[in-house]
Amino acid sequence: MAESVGEGETEMICKSKATKSWIPNIIKKRVCNTFVEDSVSDGKMCQCGKPKVEHPPQAIGDFFSAAIVNYWDSVRHSSELPTDAFGELQFAGASKRHSYFLRLSWGTNPSTIYNLMTAQWSLPSPNLVVSVVGGESQASVKNWVREVIRKGLVKSSQRAGAWIITEGFREGAGKCVGEAVRDHATAASSGSFNKVVAVGIASWGLVYNKEQLINPEGSYPAKYDIRNSPKDSCCLDNNYQAFLLVDDGSVGRRGGEINFRAKLEDHISHQPTGIQESGINVPVLCMLISGDTSMLKRVELSLKKSKPWLVLAGSGGLADFLSDVVENLSSSPVVQTPSEADGDLSPIVDLKEKVADRVKKYFPNEKDTDKVVELTLSIYQNKDLITVYNGTQERLNDFDTVLLKALVRASKQRVSVEDSPYIEDLRLAVTWNRVDIARSELFNGAILWKDKDLKDCMTNALINDKPQFVRLFTENGFNIRSYLTYKKLEKLYQSVPSGTLLYQLLERRLLIRHGITALSPAQESKLDSPNQPKESDPCQPVMKVTLFEVSGVLDMLLDDVCQPFYYDVLDLEHFSSRRRALKQAAKLLVGESKYREKRCVYPWASLFIWAILQRRNEMATFFWEMAGESVLCALSGCKMLREMSKLETETEGKLSLKDMAQSFENLAHDIFSFCYRSDENRAFTLLIKKSPVWGGTTCLQMGMGADTRLFFSHDGVQSLLSQIWWGDMKRSTEVWKLLLTFFCPILCYTSLISFRRQEEQDKPEEEEGKPNEELLDSNYDYGTTVYSYPDLKPIEADGQGPTTPLTPMINDKDPPFRPPRRPFIVSRWRQFWFAPVTSFLGNVLMYFLFLVLFAYVLLVDFKPQPPQGPAVSEYVLYFWVFTIVCEEIRETAFLGTRNWRQRLRNYIEDVWNKIDIVAITLFIVGLICRMYERSYEFGREVLCVDYMVFTLRLIHIFAIHKQLGPKIIIVGKMMKDVFFFLFFLGVWLIAYGVANQALIYSYDSNPDRIFRRVFYRPYLHIFGQIPVEEIDSGKNWDLECTNNMTMIDSGSEPCRVEYSNWVVVVLLIIYLLVTNIVLINLLIAIFSHTFSEVQANSDIYWKFQRYNLIVTYHFRPSLAPPFIIISHINLFIKRVIRRMPSIKVRHFVLELKGKAANRLTTWETIQKEDFLTARSQIKKDSDSERFKLISAKMDGIQKNVAETKDYEHRLRSLENDVNIKFLFSCFHPSENNFSLYLVIKFE
């Protein structure tokens, strides 16, 4: 009945989470149905172990059958009934954790039980099963065996995520396993993925107090009390997670679970491991500790099913016997004499005699010697599956190596002819994450590995986060380019664990593509937030991730820093609209697409992105080492991680992502330091080079998007920014010279200002005439100096076609571009006026004039509403503000290549742009209101407030100053502290103000007076303005007052209340004490802390913000408002009417091609290798690494000494056998001589 359990029952197991009524219908128990008299009990006991009175009447009534039966057999003399013991087990006096238990028949289908354990009981799928056999009694477990179990078996099982199967009793090896599992589980972190599961499979008839477990409806939980149990009783151990109590109908007999346990182990060995893409089934290893001859049948049964065994030699009993047979019997040669060849004697007879002698030696009291010998010979035929471990001679640190080698022996029996004979060894090593074994045994140069043999293992290592194996395969010549296709890359993204941030982001992109959610901007923004709840049909089929979803996630994380990824692969690079690209992708990705079979163009960069999104630091670092463009690659990783930290909801996850992002920023900073020290010019080129791998972005753009303040504070980056800021002028030019030339432009043609180009013109003609090979090959768009605006101008005439940012740009045959030479007058004029510093200086001067004009209008020349006003100066002010508005529109609408939504969002994110919006809005409101008589005064008030906002805008202008800039950063940080202080102050102010007003005046209905006396007056108290006459009734107050409510309502001053005036004085004292002493000093302490904390990093913050200011004035036209309207008209004609592309859009962007690009990439790679070498050397020189190296050498010496002793022992044994063989060959091959040979042999 139990054998017929089918797929319907398995489906029931998965669906019966709430009710357990299905268990008795599927799982059965066994009861004795035939009373077989036990001869020693005078007819009172059955051979099943139960008394006669406990048998049902039908079992006792069949006297004839009982009379002819001499031996009780579970198959014939027991029957199955629905089980009555299952559920959860709670141990009295132990931890609150419950264990699962089930009483089942030995004939139960093992697949049903395995599904029950994994699906219903939620036990993690094993990656390894270790079945411990023997060691039942406490005395049979030696101390070193306990250490092997604790420090060897359980620790190794924890690494692999294993199940350990024992009998589950609190005795012998089972108790040792339970305690070790408990201790390791306590020491392991809560986030550890590999947990050891201890499973007890015991005979139901042996369990002590099993009556406590019986409940036909199931026990949730069953209280199991073992506190007063006898010493030799078989009590269940509370450290086990699950118990399978196999019932064969007997009581008090061992061995009833052997057959079911073997079948369950065999079933598990055909199940896939819990590790994705491991390529192997669950390895099952049986471990023998001591034991007796009754376990030989168990060993033979497992060996016939190719299950490997690990025998602990020296543990006693059967383990010592089998280790002796396997090791010494196999080393003894079997000598065939001529008579043996004729069939008189055979090797089998010789083996039988040797085995029989060893049986007598180890089991002198054994009665059935022949049966033991036959079982031993059967076991000996499969001796290759037996591994002997001597814990007294070998180290515990090598125990997991022993386990691995034992499993390898079994796996070699199943290797196909097409595979490498070592492929199973490698799969096991990868599954167990033992790179040290793989490096020393499999990748030592003796084996020639092919890429096809390593592909599955590489996939396993990638998916299961084993970077050391990925590094090992790569170091041994694995070709990542032939391995990583776009189909394989999609498979890696499909393996993302559910519940992670990346999984949620990809899932939302899938919902968008499949049309489950409408693609409105509001809904799409909600989908981009991982905190939104998911609304999906659970019956919906699983949707596979494609590169389009990956591109959407990267587009969200990298924002508008670079162009979309993988659009060229999907043929979507021509779609600028996201909606059109979505529709095209939905059509393209139906069925099998051709792009999936193509090889990934940039495999290392793609894997780096995948590892970053998976938060795998070590693996991402390795991929960064292998990928090109190391500085930009590290900055891109930093950008993605910081954007992910904003989406993460858990604090620990946020901190982890931020720390990981900081580590990649440090890498970018350190690599660029090496590059800058090596060659400044190439380092500058590296910062502005356009990357085909990273969507056409540059290091500066990516660093700005990633908020890499440390990177921007580097001297090399600041040196480049200074060159851009000064243009072609020398950086040592004094400011007074600039001001003088600004007001007298003719001075730019004199030697007052030194230009860098002047030095180049003074060079010898032969040196000037040499062609710049790198310039010709790279097709420099910027001319000789790539950092100044004048050389950008000729790009407009350049007719280069557009290039795809994700396509390699190699074009050695492009004609070299040379900017046309201009007359000296034009060239020098442009060099001065088009420099960003000149633009900044002009804007500062004109802004001061604007503020002067604004103040003059407000103070002197603010005329009434039309028709009397406004005055001419006010009209000039209006036009001036209009030009400022035009400039803000230009920054938003005509800046960059992004769509208008991205431009507007990027504009609003800037704090100073928000201040500009407020200032302009207030000015427009004030302008409109002042034109009408009713709102004239209100309009004037708005304009006065607006003047303050415009004046505060000066702070941003002076942020470029080296001394003022860092202080502005500190002031900005302190303003945040002020808001926290105002919160505490507001609480005390409201509390005191309301109480004070109510105590002084019993009635006052004037809102203006209430507001002033509740809020304004207590605020002035802080600064010492205390009207004592008004507060203290003991002082005379010459102000007329009244208690008439009508007069008070009409506006008269109410009189003070004298009864409770003493409370007012007390409250004033407390209020002044708290505000003036406590809160003010708290604010000072906060400011001091902020200053000391920010002062150390203020220079870094200032250098980072300096980039924004330089970019702003690099884009801004040379003319300042109000004359900037001329530049705007010119810009409108070029962009709108003549359709000329923007020049300054490509600010700081250099597009290298051909040899120049290859040379720069090679140079950067060399610098990265030098950096990694230096870092590795520093790590090696550290004290911790030296200690590790010394420890490893000592372990190697100890291992070599042990191996030398083992080889010496084997040589001596071989020498003795050779001597005996030589002596025997000297005699005549007769029976007497053969007997003499045996005598000599055993002596």
Side-chain angles (χ1 to χ4, degrees):
M1 181 183 297
E3 297 286 351
S4 62
V5 178
E7 296 179 358
E9 297 172 349
T10 304
E11 184 179 359
M12 184 184 297
I13 290 177
C14 299
K15 293 182 179 180
S16 303
K17 188 73 176 178
T19 62
K20 310 297 188 299
S21 59
W22 56 270
I23 291 182
N25 298 329
I26 299 176
I27 311 299
K28 307 299 179 183
K29 68 176 181 178
R30 279 196 172 268
V31 294
C32 178
N33 58 10
T34 303
F35 179 77
V36 180
E37 182 180 344
D38 190 357
S39 58
V40 298
S41 63
D42 297 332
K44 296 181 180 180
M45 299 291 295
C46 177
Q47 291 186 16
C48 70
K50 292 182 180 180
K52 185 176 182 179
V53 294
E54 295 184 7
H55 285 69
Q58 60 271 21
I60 303 174
D62 193 359
F63 297 103
F64 179 76
S65 300
I68 63 175
V69 174
N70 296 322
Y71 181 75
W72 187 88
D73 182 49
S74 176
V75 179
R76 294 180 297 171
H77 304 138
S78 65
S79 58
E80 291 184 342
L81 294 176
T83 184
D84 57 358
F86 59 91
E88 297 178 0
L89 193 61
Q90 180 181 5
F91 291 86
S95 62
K96 296 182 179 180
R97 182 182 59 83
H98 294 175
S99 302
Y100 299 100
F101 75 98
L102 175 65
R103 178 185 181 183
L104 68 156
S105 170
W106 52 261
T108 307
N109 192 341
S111 63
T112 304
I113 303 303
Y114 183 72
N115 291 332
L116 170 70
M117 298 172 71
T118 55
Q120 187 73 23
W121 292 353
S122 300
L123 298 181
S125 299
N127 303 324
L128 168 69
V129 172
V130 179
S131 181
V132 179
V133 180
E136 291 86 358
S137 63
Q138 193 74 18
S140 63
V141 181
K142 301 180 181 180
N143 290 332
W144 69 266
V145 176
R146 297 175 186 272
E147 294 299 315
V148 167
I149 292 175
R150 175 180 296 275
K151 299 181 180 179
L153 174 62
V154 176
K155 189 174 182 180
S156 301
S157 300
Q158 190 177 29
R159 293 177 183 174
W163 285 8
I164 301 180
I165 299 178
T166 69
E167 285 191 336
F169 292 139
R170 294 185 63 185
E171 61 177 12
K175 182 178 180 181
C176 296
V177 170
E179 293 175 348
V181 170
R182 177 199 61 198
D183 295 342
H184 281 277
T186 304
S189 60
S190 58
S192 178
F193 292 103
N194 293 335
K195 300 287 182 65
V196 180
V197 177
V199 179
I201 302 180
S203 177
W204 167 262
L206 286 176
V207 178
Y208 173 75
N209 270 352
K210 54 182 172 291
E211 293 79 12
Q212 299 178 2
L213 310 180
I214 296 177
N215 184 355
E217 301 298 327
S219 302
Y220 301 97
K223 295 185 178 180
Y224 187 62
D225 191 355
I226 56 174
R227 287 175 289 187
N228 298 322
S229 59
K231 183 177 181 181
D232 297 332
S233 59
C234 296
C235 303
L236 299 179
D237 194 325
N238 63 301
N239 296 311
Y240 283 70
Q241 282 82 358
F243 295 95
L244 299 178
L245 308 178
V246 183
D247 191 3
D248 65 346
S250 66
V251 176
R253 298 192 344 178
R254 290 186 180 272
E257 79 285 356
I258 290 178
N259 290 332
F260 174 79
R261 182 171 173 178
K263 288 192 298 181
L264 179 63
E265 293 167 0
D266 183 64
H267 174 76
I268 296 177
S269 66
H270 293 87
Q271 306 304 312
T273 62
I275 302 175
Q276 300 185 53
E277 300 294 334
S278 63
I280 62 174
N281 293 330
V282 178
V284 176
L285 176 67
C286 299
M287 181 175 173
L288 180 61
I289 301 175
S290 65
D292 52 26
T293 55
S294 62
M295 298 177 183
L296 283 172
K297 187 63 179 177
R298 169 78 169 87
V299 177
E300 182 201 25
L301 186 63
S302 296
L303 289 176
K304 286 183 178 180
K305 295 182 179 180
S306 299
K307 298 297 179 293
W309 277 79
L310 179 64
V311 179
L312 293 189
S315 61
L318 184 62
D320 292 351
F321 168 72
L322 288 180
S323 61
D324 187 13
V325 170
V326 171
E327 288 186 332
N328 299 326
L329 195 63
S330 61
S331 62
S332 301
V334 179
V335 182
Q336 289 188 350
T337 64
S339 61
E340 292 175 343
D342 295 335
D344 296 337
L345 293 173
S346 65
I348 301 299
V349 176
D350 186 38
L351 282 175
K352 283 186 176 181
E353 293 178 355
K354 294 178 180 179
V355 171
D357 292 338
R358 283 170 171 78
V359 171
K360 293 178 182 179
K361 175 182 177 181
Y362 288 97
F363 307 105
N365 298 326
E366 180 63 36
K367 297 179 181 180
D368 196 355
T369 306
D370 294 337
K371 183 178 180 181
V372 173
V373 171
E374 291 298 329
L375 289 175
T376 305
L377 290 176
S378 177
I379 293 172
Y380 183 76
Q381 293 177 1
N382 298 293
K383 64 180 183 298
D384 292 337
L385 296 175
I386 300 177
T387 302
V388 178
Y389 175 79
N390 195 329
T392 59
Q393 299 179 2
E394 301 183 48
R395 298 177 305 164
L396 286 176
N397 294 336
D398 296 333
F399 189 79
D400 47 358
T401 307
V402 174
L403 292 181
L404 183 60
K405 290 181 178 179
L407 293 172
V408 165
R409 288 190 174 187
S411 63
K412 287 183 177 179
Q413 309 293 329
R414 302 187 295 268
V415 175
S416 62
V417 179
E418 298 178 356
D419 293 335
S420 170
Y422 301 97
I423 190 64
E424 285 295 325
D425 305 34
L426 182 59
R427 287 175 179 172
L428 284 171
V430 174
T431 303
W432 282 29
N433 199 20
R434 290 306 305 271
V435 69
D436 53 339
I437 297 176
R439 191 182 299 275
S440 60
E441 302 293 336
L442 302 176
F443 290 90
N444 53 9
I447 305 173
L448 181 62
W449 290 98
K450 299 179 180 179
D451 283 350
K452 66 177 184 178
D453 298 330
L454 300 178
K455 283 186 176 180
D456 292 340
C457 293
M458 173 63 88
T459 304
N460 181 6
L462 287 172
I463 292 178
N464 297 293
D465 192 17
K466 297 173 181 176
Q468 295 180 349
F469 272 100
V470 178
R471 184 185 295 272
L472 179 64
F473 297 155
T474 306
E475 291 174 352
N476 285 272
F478 184 79
N479 190 350
I480 196 67
R481 293 186 178 274
S482 62
Y483 165 78
L484 191 65
T485 60
Y486 290 112
K487 182 178 182 180
K488 181 69 70 175
L489 184 60
E490 288 181 348
K491 184 177 181 180
L492 294 178
Y493 280 102
Q494 292 166 7
S495 67
V496 175
S498 60
T500 60
L501 176 62
L502 177 59
Y503 182 87
Q504 296 176 13
L505 296 176
L506 291 174
E507 188 178 34
R508 282 164 176 77
R509 293 292 163 180
L510 273 172
L511 295 179
I512 294 175
R513 179 166 64 86
H514 283 262
I516 298 177
T517 306
L519 192 64
S520 64
Q523 291 174 332
E524 184 176 352
S525 63
K526 290 182 180 180
L527 284 172
D528 286 340
S529 175
N531 302 327
Q532 295 293 327
K534 295 179 287 186
E535 297 180 0
S536 58
D537 187 4
C539 299
Q540 188 89 16
V542 178
M543 296 175 288
K544 292 186 177 181
V545 175
T546 63
L547 290 182
F548 182 74
E549 285 72 46
V550 178
S551 176
V553 172
L554 293 177
D555 184 41
M556 181 183 66
L557 295 179
L558 295 175
D559 201 19
D560 49 11
V561 176
C562 56
Q563 298 183 14
F565 280 77
Y566 305 119
Y567 266 38
D568 57 336
V569 179
L570 300 171
D571 287 333
L572 301 175
E573 66 270 18
H574 303 297
F575 295 92
S576 58
S577 172
R578 185 180 299 178
R579 186 181 296 272
R580 293 180 180 178
L582 176 63
K583 292 181 179 179
Q584 180 65 21
K587 298 177 182 178
L588 175 68
L589 298 174
V590 175
E592 284 294 327
S593 303
K594 296 181 180 179
Y595 79 88
R596 290 190 171 96
E597 303 303 325
K598 296 180 181 179
R599 295 180 179 179
C600 191
V601 180
Y602 305 108
W604 292 117
S606 299
L607 289 175
F608 172 76
I609 294 173
W610 172 79
I612 285 291
L613 297 179
Q614 291 263 52
R615 307 184 186 184
R616 297 178 176 178
N617 194 4
E618 186 178 355
M619 189 171 287
T621 303
F622 171 69
F623 292 147
W624 169 80
E625 294 175 4
M626 300 302 298
E629 301 183 346
S630 54
V631 177
L632 181 56
C633 189
L635 293 174
S636 302
C638 179
K639 166 69 173 174
M640 289 184 285
L641 289 168
R642 283 185 173 151
E643 292 297 327
M644 290 173 65
S645 67
K646 298 176 183 177
L647 302 175
E648 182 60 63
T649 56
E650 297 181 359
T651 304
E652 185 177 355
K654 281 181 177 291
L655 295 177
S656 175
L657 288 170
K658 289 180 180 179
D659 292 341
M660 191 173 171
Q662 188 60 47
S663 66
F664 278 99
E665 182 181 355
N666 294 338
L667 283 177
H669 178 272
D670 296 341
I671 285 290
F672 185 74
S673 297
F674 267 73
C675 296
Y676 185 67
R677 287 196 295 266
S678 175
D679 192 328
E680 291 187 11
N681 293 328
R682 283 183 172 178
F684 292 159
T685 306
L686 190 68
L687 291 175
I688 63 174
K689 183 180 74 73
K690 187 177 181 180
S691 170
V693 182
W694 294 95
T697 188
T698 65
C699 291
L700 288 180
Q701 293 172 348
M702 186 63 75
M704 186 63 198
D707 195 22
T708 52
R709 300 169 183 174
L710 178 64
F711 178 76
F712 271 91
S713 66
H714 192 277
D715 293 340
V717 179
Q718 292 300 310
S719 179
L720 172 64
L721 295 178
S722 297
Q723 287 194 24
I724 297 172
W725 178 251
W726 288 95
D728 286 332
M729 291 182 287
K730 295 186 67 174
R731 295 163 56 182
S732 59
T733 304
E734 289 83 355
V735 177
W736 68 268
K737 294 182 179 180
L738 289 176
L739 291 173
L740 188 60
T741 309
F742 186 83
F743 290 105
C744 185
I746 196 67
L747 295 177
C748 69
Y749 297 103
T750 65
S751 60
L752 181 65
I753 298 178
S754 300
F755 292 86
R756 287 187 288 116
R757 291 288 182 89
Q758 184 67 36
E759 297 175 358
E760 296 176 5
Q761 295 175 359
D762 295 335
K763 292 182 180 180
E765 291 184 4
E766 64 274 7
E767 190 173 319
E768 182 182 346
K770 291 181 180 179
N772 190 338
E773 182 182 356
E774 184 171 339
L775 174 64
L776 299 182
D777 290 334
S778 64
N779 194 11
Y780 268 167
D781 289 336
Y782 279 44
T784 307
T785 305
V786 300
Y787 315 115
S788 59
Y789 174 75
D791 298 320
L792 286 171
K793 191 70 176 175
I795 302 178
E796 297 180 4
D798 191 2
Q800 295 187 32
T803 58
T804 304
L806 298 182
T807 305
M809 297 175 291
I810 301 177
N811 187 5
D812 294 336
K813 298 183 179 180
D814 287 347
F817 172 77
R818 292 181 179 273
R821 290 185 176 273
R822 296 186 178 88
F824 173 76
I825 298 177
V826 178
S827 175
R828 182 54 57 84
W829 181 269
R830 295 169 62 87
Q831 287 176 356
F832 176 76
W833 287 104
F834 288 172
V837 64
T838 308
S839 176
F840 170 77
L841 185 61
N843 278 272
V844 170
L845 293 175
M846 298 306 296
Y847 198 80
F848 272 110
L849 291 178
F850 166 74
L851 293 178
V852 170
L853 176 62
F854 202 165
Y856 174 78
V857 170
L858 291 176
L859 299 175
V860 178
D861 205 13
F862 199 81
K863 301 294 183 183
Q865 67 275 5
Q868 290 86 0
V872 176
S873 60
E874 193 170 349
Y875 279 116
V876 175
L877 178 65
Y878 296 162
F879 177 75
W880 204 315
V881 174
F882 171 74
T883 59
I884 294 177
V885 173
C886 292
E887 173 60 19
E888 297 298 323
I889 295 174
R890 183 199 66 82
E891 289 186 12
T892 307
F894 296 96
L895 187 59
T897 58
R898 302 178 293 265
N899 57 51
W900 67 272
R901 288 180 180 175
Q902 292 175 331
R903 294 172 182 172
L904 183 61
R905 181 179 59 187
N906 187 64
Y907 176 83
I908 295 177
E909 285 178 354
D910 187 80
V911 176
W912 295 107
N913 288 335
K914 295 177 182 178
I915 295 177
D916 290 338
I917 294 174
V918 172
I920 293 171
T921 304
L922 289 176
F923 190 87
I924 294 174
V925 172
L927 172 62
I928 295 174
C929 292
R930 67 97 57 220
M931 293 297 178
Y932 301 95
E933 182 178 359
R934 293 182 178 180
S935 57
Y936 172 79
E937 292 297 333
F938 176 74
R940 188 174 183 278
E941 293 172 0
V942 171
L943 290 175
C944 292
V945 175
D946 189 38
Y947 179 80
M948 294 180 60
V949 179
F950 272 112
T951 306
L952 291 176
R953 193 63 170 81
L954 283 174
I955 297 177
H956 179 54
I957 294 177
F958 288 105
I960 193 67
H961 196 270
K962 191 172 184 178
Q963 281 73 34
L964 290 178
K967 300 302 181 290
I968 293 174
I969 301 295
I970 295 175
V971 172
K973 295 289 183 180
M974 287 183 174
M975 290 301 298
K976 297 180 181 179
D977 298 331
V978 170
F979 287 105
F980 292 102
F981 168 78
L982 290 177
F983 169 76
F984 293 107
L985 180 62
V987 172
W988 275 99
L989 190 144
I990 294 174
Y992 169 74
V994 173
N996 183 71
Q997 174 68 11
L999 290 171
I1000 295 177
Y1001 303 102
S1002 60
Y1003 179 77
D1004 189 357
S1005 60
N1006 192 318
D1008 182 61
R1009 281 200 301 261
I1010 292 176
F1011 179 80
R1012 290 176 180 272
R1013 290 172 177 174
V1014 170
F1015 295 101
Y1016 181 58
R1017 186 173 62 186
Y1019 180 74
L1020 294 179
H1021 287 358
I1022 301 175
F1023 304 98
Q1025 298 185 15
I1026 304 173
V1028 181
E1029 295 81 3
E1030 181 180 358
I1031 294 177
D1032 190 356
S1033 60
K1035 300 288 185 179
N1036 292 327
W1037 194 23
D1038 55 359
L1039 186 64
E1040 296 183 0
C1041 62
T1042 181
N1043 290 322
N1044 191 328
M1045 293 185 181
T1046 305
M1047 296 179 65
I1048 293 175
D1049 292 337
S1050 61
S1052 299
E1053 178 71 24
C1055 292
R1056 298 171 295 176
V1057 177
E1058 299 182 0
Y1059 175 76
S1060 57
N1061 190 255
W1062 66 274
V1063 182
V1064 175
V1065 177
V1066 173
L1067 290 180
L1068 177 63
I1069 294 172
I1070 297 175
Y1071 174 71
L1072 293 178
L1073 178 67
V1074 173
T1075 55
N1076 286 19
I1077 297 179
V1078 178
L1079 292 184
I1080 297 298
N1081 283 279
L1082 175 64
L1083 180 63
I1084 295 173
I1086 293 175
F1087 281 172
S1088 301
H1089 174 72
T1090 302
F1091 182 84
S1092 60
E1093 189 179 48
V1094 179
Q1095 177 66 22
N1097 299 320
S1098 61
D1099 188 61
I1100 296 177
Y1101 292 146
W1102 169 73
K1103 289 179 179 178
F1104 177 71
Q1105 292 190 356
R1106 181 170 176 254
Y1107 171 80
N1108 282 331
L1109 196 64
I1110 291 176
V1111 170
T1112 300
Y1113 286 98
H1114 176 77
F1115 281 150
R1116 182 165 292 185
S1118 302
L1119 298 177
F1123 307 107
I1124 199 174
I1125 191 66
I1126 301 174
S1127 299
H1128 290 161
I1129 295 173
N1130 181 36
L1131 180 67
F1132 180 81
I1133 295 174
K1134 286 183 178 180
R1135 301 291 176 266
V1136 180
I1137 299 178
R1138 299 179 61 187
R1139 300 287 182 181
M1140 296 178 62
S1142 175
I1143 302 169
K1144 292 188 177 182
V1145 167
R1146 294 184 281 180
H1147 70 287
F1148 316 145
V1149 176
L1150 178 63
E1151 187 172 323
L1152 293 182
K1153 298 181 181 179
K1155 295 180 180 178
N1158 294 335
R1159 275 198 296 268
L1160 185 63
T1161 303
T1162 304
W1163 173 76
E1164 184 183 6
T1165 304
I1166 293 174
Q1167 303 308 315
K1168 177 180 65 177
E1169 292 175 353
D1170 293 342
F1171 164 74
L1172 294 176
T1173 302
R1175 189 175 67 169
S1176 176
Q1177 187 62 39
I1178 293 174
K1179 186 178 179 181
K1180 288 181 180 179
D1181 294 340
S1182 63
D1183 295 338
S1184 60
E1185 289 298 321
R1186 289 181 179 179
F1187 287 140
K1188 289 181 181 179
L1189 182 61
I1190 294 173
S1191 177
K1193 289 182 178 180
M1194 294 300 296
D1195 291 341
I1197 293 174
Q1198 185 179 358
K1199 185 176 181 180
N1200 292 334
V1201 170
E1203 291 177 353
T1204 303
K1205 291 182 179 179
D1206 184 44
Y1207 290 150
E1208 183 179 354
H1209 173 72
R1210 292 183 181 181
L1211 287 175
R1212 288 179 180 177
S1213 176
L1214 182 61
E1215 183 181 2
N1216 293 335
D1217 292 337
V1218 171
N1219 292 335
I1220 293 173
K1221 183 178 179 181
F1222 175 74
L1223 290 174
F1224 177 78
S1225 63
C1226 295
F1227 294 96
H1228 183 72
S1230 62
E1231 184 177 353
N1232 294 331
N1233 291 337
F1234 182 73
S1235 301
L1236 179 62
Y1237 156 73
L1238 292 177
V1239 172
I1240 298 174
K1241 166 73 175 175
F1242 287 106
E1243 288 181 353

